């Protein structure tokens, strides 16, 4: 698989949450195109914006469901 990998944690207050390693992201409080840079693991919802202005949810191109 290529691309970014994140693990889905579930829904809270009708928002989908994931855990992911990131180098930067744009919280809803910043204007489109602005980002905060850091290298860490975060838990966030999929409505966080990418540098392009699209949310992570809008940018999601595939998902793998693991089952026992």
């Amino acid at each position: 698989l290529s691309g970014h990998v994140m693990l889905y944690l579930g829904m809270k207050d009708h928002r989908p949450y994931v855990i992911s390693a990131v180098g930067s992201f744009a919280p809803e409080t910043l204007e489109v195109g602005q980002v905060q840079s850091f290298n860490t693991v975060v838990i966030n919802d999929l409505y966080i914006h990418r540098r392009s202005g699209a949310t992570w949810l809008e940018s999601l191109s595939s998902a793998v469901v693991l089952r026992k």
Side-chain angles (χ1 to χ4, degrees):
L1 294 173
S2 64
H4 187 84
V5 176
M6 56 189 131
L7 298 175
Y8 176 69
L9 299 174
M11 300 286 284
K12 181 173 181 182
D13 298 327
H14 305 288
R15 296 175 80 94
Y17 279 82
V18 296
I19 185 167
S20 172
V22 296
S24 66
F25 76 96
E28 291 178 350
T29 55
L30 296 179
E31 293 185 27
V32 171
Q34 291 183 314
V35 296
Q36 291 181 337
S37 296
F38 49 87
N39 289 308
T40 191
V41 174
V42 297
I43 294 174
N44 60 274
D45 66 48
L46 290 177
Y47 295 113
I48 296 294
H49 288 88
R50 299 170 52 123
R51 189 180 307 265
S52 67
T55 65
W56 285 18
L57 185 59
E58 292 167 331
S59 301
L60 191 62
S61 61
S62 65
V64 175
V65 177
L66 303 175
R67 301 197 188 273
K68 288 185 177 184

